[in-house]
Amino acid sequence: MSNNIDNLLHEDRRFPPSAEFTAQAVGQASLYADSKKDRLGFWDKQAKELLHWHKPYTRVLDWSDAPVAKWFDDGELNVAYNCLDRHVLEGRGDRVAIYGEGEPGDQRVYTYSELTAEVKRVANVFLSLGVTAGDRIAIYMPMIPEAVITMLASARIGAVHTVVFGGFSADSLRSRIDDAEAKLVVTADGGWRKGKVFPLKPTVDAALEANGGGSTVDHVLVVKRGENDVAWTEGRDIWWDDAQAGVDAEHVAQGFPAEHPLFILYTSGTTGKPKGILHTTGGYLTQAAFTHKNIFDLHADTDVYWCTADVGWITGHSYVVYGPLANGATQVVYEGTPDAPHPGRWWEIIEKYKVSILYTAPTAIRSFMKLGREIPAKFDLSSIRVLGSVGEPINPEAWIWYHDIIGGGKAPIVDTWWQTETGAIMIAALPGVTTLKPGSAQVPIPGVVIDIVDDQGIPQDKNSGGLLVISEPWPSMLRGIWGDPARFQETYWEKFGDKYFAGDGARYDRDGDIWLLGRVDDVMNVSGHRLSTAEIESALVGNQIVAEAAVVGAADETTGQAVVAFVILKKSHIDDQTPEEASAILRKHVAEQIGAIARPSKVYIVEELPKTRSGKIMRRLLQDVAEGREIGDTTTLADTGVVSIISAQVH
Ligand code: WT7
């Protein structure tokens, strides 16, 4: 960790907001003072100002059932009404909500009126398929406007969506469908990625055929996008357009209690089984809208906002769908990859739509840096005025490049720390207030209380480090792990009792600004996506040639971390293939089992793994090997010779 912070602190330039920026900024310094004076009063004010309540609440926070919080719980609201109808009713119906840009360059524009009409029809389709409040809908779609429409239609009728990233395998999709007991799956025939159509419906078919075919799913609703051939199960499968043919255009949104579930989103933990993170409506939408507006300095009537995240991740939920639409923003939704059909695709999109706020991940910035500044230089990026970063610490070199090359040397960068579990941004600068420090996420947002503590839970002071905790309940916090309250308690609350343990190491600098130092558990961060070592290990040992496997995240220049596996083959299968062949088979196997994002960058076939005398694999040493470092302390190893053998095999 100490190495890490020294590197991070290398850049010592400071970037205060310009007077012009501050003068027009949405979020002013008074937000901090107000929230410190009366934290609950502050959130009360935000919830009332930012949202429409079908029934006003009388209680702000009820923490009597800790760690399950209730925010605004005797009030009622409809999330879709807040994201759609009210904008139309208040005269903003002609404002563009979504510029949908397909990867091949096709464009579909939705105004708030059009988006509202579409969501009403799809809500009626869901009802006609027997889906009602509380039922679960699994969503497995490309990044097209229909994905957003589906999420909003689900919210509108009080159903609970679980979006599964389109890169996940049939097995991963099936386990999420089963865990959530989804009644309906919404998918597309396929979507565009890297210049080709990648099929989605066949993966849904495979998922539903698994385990003998029986599942909780009654219907599969299919958007036509890729025009690829798909198999059809009569009675179960329905085309999106056909389903809308007969339905009523009107749908009146009713209010649901503020603690009614909105979505479940699965994320990796320290075990092999993903956790279904549960979010509810009133508190979630309050904090998503508040942060989107203030952290990105949203001027909804003039800005064009673009968050590059997929709706399969929490960033896509809070900062593509719920935050921006609650705030009546105009945004770009782009289907494809950054390099298709050419490496300047993103910059072309910024020029085309005059994007003024861009929110993306350090891994993307680093890959653009590698390609060179000549590529963005060919496009007019002068519309950019605010930049955001999320998913991992942004290294100062990438920060400066992002600031100078994309932000024209003037756009502030807000580095936003948060998690699937926190639902919305927790640590970030306010761009009109904070003097920016490249590499640091800096300060808790107004209304959020963060501490860095030692292993005993003692809060640390300036110039020292420890574990990041959230010390007071916040509106958009998770309300549990779907179907597993014990795991919720154990994972986040057991370590410090009344404080939420985030799983990240962090440090205060001498000014008291926060620097994030990465995970302290067996969770990896690859391209800003969370992966579990245990989940990949269990996929590896599920292959018939594998006896034992250990997975580590090794530092990688572009992706932050890369998945590296060390595998011992079964004696009976050692001679069936060369080590290179075994490695290729296993990389492919993991991609098939979990999804391409989990495919190890390297699989080393080894004869032994370093273990303690009690048999625990010492991942720390494997990480040293994978990163080509000198091997650390091996005194607790059962057999100290093992590491040098592995090291020799690898290098
Ligand atoms: C983990 C959460 C929040 C949406 C994307 C990832 C890491 C996230 C930052 C940041 C340093 C960050 C943390 C966190 N992380 N943002 N700005 N600086 N680290 O969501 O998959 O739930 O992962 O991502 O380690 O715990 P997620």
Side-chain angles (χ1 to χ4, degrees):
M1 263 189 205
S2 57
N3 275 346
N4 202 344
I5 186 97
D6 289 345
N7 291 340
L8 288 172
L9 286 169
H10 215 69
E11 169 60 59
D12 52 14
R13 267 181 286 170
R14 299 292 172 258
F15 298 82
S18 69
E20 301 90 285
F21 195 98
T22 300
Q24 60 81 57
V26 175
Q28 295 288 338
S30 57
L31 290 173
Y32 293 111
D34 293 351
S35 66
K36 285 209 176 90
K37 214 180 314 145
D38 176 7
R39 198 178 80 92
L40 296 183
F42 169 82
W43 284 119
D44 178 25
K45 181 165 177 261
Q46 300 307 328
K48 290 197 171 110
E49 276 180 18
L50 294 163
L51 304 185
H52 170 88
W53 293 85
H54 271 70
K55 178 179 161 231
Y57 54 86
T58 64
R59 290 189 293 266
V60 175
L61 170 66
D62 176 358
W63 189 230
S64 60
D65 194 21
V68 182
K70 296 190 197 80
W71 283 85
F72 316 118
D73 75 309
D74 61 344
E76 288 181 5
L77 76 166
N78 185 293
V79 169
Y81 182 93
N82 271 282
C83 293
L84 300 165
D85 308 53
R86 66 164 166 150
H87 300 310
V88 179
L89 294 171
E90 289 165 17
R92 297 184 289 277
D94 293 337
R95 182 183 292 174
V96 171
I98 294 177
Y99 288 115
E101 174 85 11
E103 194 188 77
D106 56 317
Q107 177 191 297
R108 280 184 297 152
V109 182
Y110 290 83
T111 63
Y112 272 93
S113 292
E114 289 163 345
L115 195 65
T116 305
E118 187 88 9
V119 169
K120 285 181 177 179
R121 271 198 303 275
V122 176
N124 284 329
V125 168
F126 291 169
L127 293 170
S128 76
L129 295 175
V131 179
T132 53
D135 286 343
R136 272 80 62 202
I137 300 176
I139 302 178
Y140 189 68
M141 290 178 88
M143 265 307 277
I144 54 177
E146 285 84 352
V148 179
I149 290 164
T150 300
M151 291 163 78
L152 291 169
S154 168
R156 190 171 188 94
I157 62 168
V160 183
H161 58 70
T162 183
V163 185
V164 180
F165 174 59
F168 277 119
S169 67
D171 275 3
S172 297
L173 173 61
R174 177 60 187 256
S175 67
R176 285 155 174 79
I177 289 173
D178 285 350
D179 190 75
E181 300 178 282
K183 249 180 140 166
L184 173 69
V185 179
V186 184
T187 188
D189 47 1
W192 285 88
R193 231 186 106 76
K194 296 191 188 197
K196 289 202 289 270
V197 170
F198 73 96
L200 287 164
K201 170 72 163 58
T203 309
V204 173
D205 292 339
L208 296 180
E209 275 152 27
N211 307 344
S215 81
T216 52
V217 173
D218 298 328
H219 292 290
V220 178
L221 194 59
V222 189
V223 176
K224 193 168 253 169
R225 168 65 189 157
E227 309 273 341
N228 47 315
D229 282 340
V230 291
W232 210 248
T233 302
E234 286 305 330
R236 187 195 70 183
D237 299 347
I238 308 159
W239 286 110
W240 172 272
D241 285 344
D242 294 351
Q244 287 187 47
V247 304
D248 208 333
E250 192 44 75
H251 176 272
V252 178
Q254 79 179 77
F256 291 97
E259 286 299 338
H260 188 78
L262 177 61
F263 65 85
I264 303 164
L265 183 59
Y266 288 85
T267 187
S268 298
T270 51
T271 72
K273 190 179 186 294
K275 303 176 281 197
I277 304 300
L278 176 68
H279 283 287
T280 59
T281 56
Y284 171 80
L285 198 61
T286 299
Q287 195 173 332
F290 170 77
T291 48
H292 180 257
K293 187 168 170 179
N294 290 282
I295 303 300
F296 299 117
D297 188 47
L298 178 77
H299 295 259
D301 46 352
T302 49
D303 275 317
V304 178
Y305 165 84
W306 183 21
C307 167
T308 63
D310 190 283
V311 290
W313 312 109
I314 190 69
T315 310
H317 285 61
S318 305
Y319 299 105
V320 174
V321 183
Y322 296 114
L325 295 175
N327 289 333
T330 295
Q331 69 173 325
V332 173
V333 171
Y334 173 54
E335 177 183 31
T337 49
D339 50 357
H342 60 81
R345 187 73 169 109
W346 275 21
W347 321 124
E348 179 184 70
I349 291 171
I350 289 174
E351 179 180 282
K352 175 170 176 186
Y353 295 108
K354 299 195 168 40
V355 170
S356 54
I357 306 172
L358 177 68
Y359 190 28
T360 192
T363 183
I365 299 160
R366 287 192 298 266
S367 49
F368 292 128
M369 274 173 76
K370 271 196 188 159
L371 297 175
R373 59 180 64 190
E374 308 77 58
I375 296 170
K378 287 188 205 127
F379 299 90
D380 178 7
L381 307 182
S382 61
S383 52
I384 292 284
R385 55 173 212 93
V386 178
L387 296 170
S389 174
V390 62
E392 58 174 311
I394 174 164
N395 49 307
E397 195 193 353
W399 197 103
I400 297 291
W401 192 90
Y402 195 28
H403 182 260
D404 290 353
I405 307 301
I406 308 306
K410 62 175 194 338
I413 298 176
V414 284
D415 176 6
T416 62
W417 179 90
W418 58 296
Q419 307 178 300
T420 305
E421 291 87 341
T422 71
I425 294 169
M426 302 293 280
I427 305 177
L430 266 185
V433 178
T434 317
T435 291
L436 302 170
K437 273 183 197 172
S440 168
Q442 301 195 276
V443 284
I445 65 158
V448 159
V449 185
I450 302 262
D451 280 300
I452 297 174
V453 300
D454 69 9
D455 224 36
Q456 271 65 56
I458 316 266
Q460 301 297 292
D461 237 324
K462 286 177 185 174
N463 247 329
S464 59
L467 303 171
L468 190 81
V469 296
I470 307 167
S471 306
E472 297 290 342
W474 64 101
S476 62
M477 69 194 293
L478 76 167
R479 301 305 198 261
I481 294 177
W482 185 253
D484 202 345
R487 193 172 176 197
F488 175 51
Q489 172 71 38
E490 271 158 39
T491 311
Y492 307 105
W493 304 94
E494 209 142 87
K495 194 163 173 72
F496 297 117
D498 56 345
K499 292 179 160 103
Y500 169 91
F501 172 50
D504 280 42
R507 192 183 157 91
Y508 292 117
D509 65 15
R510 69 178 93 87
D511 306 322
D513 279 319
I514 299 172
W515 296 71
L516 276 307
L517 302 175
R519 304 287 305 193
V520 297
D521 52 14
D522 290 331
V523 168
M524 296 172 288
N525 187 328
V526 178
S527 297
H529 299 314
R530 198 195 299 193
L531 293 172
S532 143
T533 53
E535 199 179 346
I536 299 176
E537 285 165 5
S538 105
L540 284 167
V541 296
N543 187 290
Q544 53 162 6
I545 66 172
V546 174
E548 266 191 274
V551 166
V552 297
D556 181 278
E557 247 184 42
T558 307
T559 58
Q561 286 190 313
V563 179
V564 175
F566 296 84
V567 169
I568 305 177
L569 297 182
K570 280 187 190 147
K571 291 248 168 355
S572 52
H573 286 280
I574 275 186
D575 299 326
D576 296 358
Q577 66 284 301
T578 65
E580 291 71 33
E581 285 164 355
S583 168
I585 291 169
L586 295 175
R587 291 179 67 239
K588 182 154 171 272
H589 173 77
V590 172
E592 281 164 5
Q593 291 290 303
I594 302 174
I597 42 163
R599 181 191 288 122
S601 68
K602 292 213 168 65
V603 174
Y604 294 116
I605 309 298
V606 296
E607 279 159 30
E608 291 282 356
L609 289 169
K611 289 189 186 151
T612 60
R613 283 171 208 105
S614 60
K616 196 172 169 328
I617 294 175
M618 291 188 72
R619 286 207 184 72
R620 188 173 48 78
L621 296 181
L622 291 173
Q623 200 165 10
D624 287 344
V625 173
E627 294 179 354
R629 248 197 320 276
E630 210 165 297
I631 311 302
D633 182 8
T634 57
T635 47
T636 54
L637 276 184
D639 174 359
T640 49
V642 169
V643 185
S644 42
I645 297 171
I646 296 176
S647 193
Q649 264 182 283
V650 165
H651 297 292

